[in-house]
Amino acid sequence: MRAGRQRGRAARAAMAGGEQRGAPGGPEPVALKKEIGLVSACAIIIGNIIGSGIFISPKGVLEHAGSVGLALIIWVLGGGVAALGSLCYAELGVTIPKSGGDYSYVTEIFGGLAGFLLLWSAVLIMYPTSLAVIALTFSNYVLQPVFPNCIPPYNASRILSMVCLLLLTWVNSSSVRWATRIQDIFTAGKLLALALIIIVGFIQIFKGNYKELTPSNAFNFWMTPSVGHLALAFLQGSFAFSGWNFLNYVTEELVDPRRQNLPRAIFISIPLVTFVYTFTNIAYFTAMSPQELLSSNAVAVTFGEKLLGYFSWVMPVSVALSTFGGINGYLFTSSRLCFSGAREGHLPSLLAMIHVKHCTPIPALLVCCMATLVIMLVGDTYTLINYVSFINYLCYGVTIIGLIVLRCKKPKIFRPIKVNLLIPITYLAFWAFLLIFSLYSEPIVCGVGLIIILTGVPVFFLGVYWRNKPKSVNRLIESMTCWGQK
């Protein structure tokens, strides 16, 4: 019995951010280390945004936009909307300096149920789905040179995706420093790859190959897009920009988050990504007609084959590197969401445990990995993007509504950054437009997304709100925590 109690105390001590302290001479609580500086902070934002989206979403955006010109406008507006949202998150991040991002802010402002529903949808569908899409894109681009004339086999693609995911889960479990170094290196690599595309695109323009970009051709609609089509085009584009809020998930690991690294990283990263995305799409259209882009299974590979000749192999390698870094970034940040949820008592306490030596949330990483492996085995890529984009935007909007509510509830709280109220209001106007017309255009996809979120209501009342559980249930939970500690 005494050994069991000691294990229980040690397990509780291993929960980062806990209020408990060990007895004098006893073990100190293990905490997440502050190892993320400005460069790594920018790398986390850029690395999470630039993953598979820029290599998948151009096709989806163009398909729903109906013209090259409107598709490019949607890319620019997508960056503008991400910038508005990131400014709101900068205020929230320095006002409520907790890891966990949206979840921590919604829980703090609206209470446990709202926070749990956001956590439930994120852990169940949002981040595993994003990880699955990025991992599948990685495997498709790696295998594309092996199967140049057809889509890579289903089994080969899934197996390679799983191997990549398992490898990066191991890396993130072993060292925060390794994970952040991988993020830094691969972020630089993916920016160089996109810079190559942009430079080649400019060379094409100087040679006079910009037929598709002239106003008469760029706004030559092959279909008249409805408002619903525009909403779906924004959803596809928003997938490429998703990840702009991920630095808020690791606030407690940032060096000086309030005054420097959080706001500075946001102000540097979002404009840079918007510039890169817009000019990458312009470059695509210097080499491909809209019909060629829509028929391509790998846009960057098609671009490379048309313009790079012998060096066309650079494109699939570059995309593979980009998506590899994207998987690493999503694992790093989404595992912190599980960790934060467990620390607040909304997930099993096992997931709040930090490895004593490595200071990494290994149980949370394993849960993220397993959920992604399950999602990876089912679903079409573009349908998955619609699911995750809708739920993402729903969560973003609720969080930014929280900023306005917090201004009313706690007007005198210390805010190192305070944005003009027109910024969240403008964002929410766009948010409402997108959600309403997404529901109109894709009622089944959006309905399923809402159902997934609402399934968390009974889980919350049974698992979190119900305090007086039978002793047998509490013993089972404690035994699982002690087993995880071993």
Side-chain angles (χ1 to χ4, degrees):
M1 288 294 290
R2 183 164 52 191
R5 287 194 295 271
Q6 288 172 342
R7 284 196 300 270
R9 284 195 296 270
R12 288 190 293 273
M15 296 181 194
E19 299 298 326
Q20 296 170 322
R21 291 276 173 184
E28 289 292 315
V30 181
L32 296 168
K33 291 182 179 179
K34 290 184 175 293
E35 294 187 355
I36 302 174
L38 179 60
V39 173
S40 291
C42 292
I44 286 174
I45 296 176
I46 296 169
N48 275 296
I49 296 177
I50 303 176
S52 63
I54 189 59
F55 307 110
I56 294 178
S57 294
K59 182 176 178 178
V61 172
L62 182 63
E63 183 180 3
H64 294 294
S67 76
V68 171
L70 187 54
L72 292 175
I73 290 171
I74 287 171
W75 281 104
V76 175
L77 289 177
V81 171
L84 292 176
S86 64
L87 288 171
C88 298
Y89 273 64
E91 177 178 326
L92 286 167
V94 296
T95 306
I96 307 172
K98 291 182 179 180
S99 290
D102 318 58
Y103 162 71
S104 294
Y105 311 146
V106 170
T107 303
E108 180 88 11
I109 298 165
F110 295 114
L113 177 58
F116 179 82
L117 291 179
L118 191 149
L119 176 70
W120 175 257
S121 59
V123 171
L124 196 65
I125 187 75
M126 227 175 3
Y127 297 117
T129 299
S130 297
L131 266 168
V133 170
I134 298 171
L136 290 171
T137 305
F138 165 82
S139 62
N140 284 335
Y141 271 88
V142 169
L143 295 171
Q144 192 67 40
V146 183
F147 302 93
N149 299 318
C150 63
I151 297 174
Y154 178 91
N155 289 336
S157 176
R158 261 57 182 181
I159 289 170
L160 183 57
S161 301
M162 291 176 182
V163 170
C164 174
L165 181 67
L166 291 169
L167 172 63
L168 286 173
T169 301
W170 174 77
V171 169
N172 277 267
S173 300
S174 300
S175 170
V176 172
R177 190 176 297 275
W178 288 4
T180 54
R181 290 297 171 268
I182 285 176
Q183 197 65 16
D184 295 347
I185 293 167
F186 281 87
T187 296
K190 67 180 70 176
L191 285 174
L192 287 173
L194 291 171
L196 174 62
I197 293 175
I198 293 169
I199 291 168
V200 172
F202 274 119
I203 292 172
Q204 285 288 98
I205 290 172
F206 291 142
K207 288 181 177 180
N209 298 322
Y210 51 82
K211 178 183 174 183
E212 301 296 342
L213 298 171
T214 58
S216 58
N217 288 325
F219 291 95
N220 181 21
F221 290 86
W222 60 85
M223 73 163 191
T224 303
S226 64
V227 178
H229 280 121
L230 292 178
L232 290 175
F234 272 109
L235 274 183
Q236 290 286 332
S238 72
F239 176 78
F241 280 100
S242 62
W244 54 262
N245 62 324
F246 269 26
L247 190 61
N248 294 69
Y249 282 78
V250 294
T251 304
E252 291 173 32
E253 295 169 81
L254 279 172
V255 178
D256 193 11
R258 281 182 180 260
R259 296 188 180 277
Q260 293 187 23
N261 289 332
L262 179 61
R264 284 183 182 178
I266 289 171
F267 298 151
I268 293 169
S269 303
I270 303 299
L272 176 61
V273 171
T274 304
F275 173 87
V276 168
Y277 274 11
T278 303
F279 281 93
T280 299
N281 277 275
I282 289 173
Y284 286 154
F285 290 116
T286 64
M288 289 177 277
S289 68
Q291 291 71 30
E292 286 176 314
L293 192 147
L294 290 172
S295 63
S296 173
N297 292 315
V299 178
V301 170
T302 303
F303 178 87
E305 288 172 349
K306 280 183 165 288
L307 297 182
L308 299 181
Y310 177 76
F311 294 100
S312 61
W313 58 268
V314 170
M315 279 299 104
V317 170
S318 299
V319 177
L321 294 176
S322 174
T323 48
F324 189 84
I327 297 165
N328 180 74
Y330 261 80
L331 268 176
F332 186 86
T333 48
S334 60
S335 63
R336 270 59 179 180
L337 176 61
C338 286
F339 160 78
S340 298
R343 187 175 59 181
E344 295 292 332
H346 287 167
L347 290 175
S349 57
L350 173 64
L351 299 182
M353 292 177 65
I354 301 297
H355 192 277
V356 174
K357 180 180 178 182
H358 303 310
C359 295
T360 55
I362 292 178
L365 281 162
L366 292 176
V367 166
C368 293
C369 177
M370 295 305 296
T372 304
L373 290 174
V374 172
I375 295 273
M376 202 179 287
L377 296 174
V378 295
D380 168 71
T381 299
Y382 289 98
T383 305
L384 289 175
I385 288 173
N386 283 339
Y387 276 121
V388 76
S389 298
F390 174 77
I391 296 176
N392 256 337
Y393 256 91
L394 190 60
C395 294
Y396 294 159
V398 171
T399 305
I400 291 173
I401 289 170
L403 182 148
I404 297 173
V405 172
L406 188 64
R407 288 274 189 96
C408 298
K409 287 172 64 175
K410 298 181 179 180
K412 295 184 179 179
I413 193 172
F414 176 58
R415 292 177 171 87
I417 296 174
K418 189 173 183 180
V419 299
N420 190 298
L421 270 179
L422 283 175
I423 291 176
I425 290 170
T426 303
Y427 182 92
L428 289 172
F430 172 81
W431 173 77
F433 154 79
L434 188 68
L435 290 187
I436 290 168
F437 286 102
S438 297
L439 281 165
Y440 174 77
S441 300
E442 289 282 353
I444 295 176
V445 169
C446 299
V448 170
L450 289 173
I451 290 170
I452 290 170
I453 294 172
L454 293 176
T455 55
V457 174
V459 176
F460 172 80
F461 283 103
L462 289 173
V464 179
Y465 188 78
W466 182 24
R467 298 291 184 182
N468 298 319
K469 298 182 181 70
K471 291 182 179 180
S472 58
V473 175
N474 290 327
R475 282 197 298 268
L476 175 63
I477 294 171
E478 185 174 348
S479 64
M480 287 176 63
T481 304
C482 292
W483 173 81
Q485 186 190 5
K486 296 176 185 178

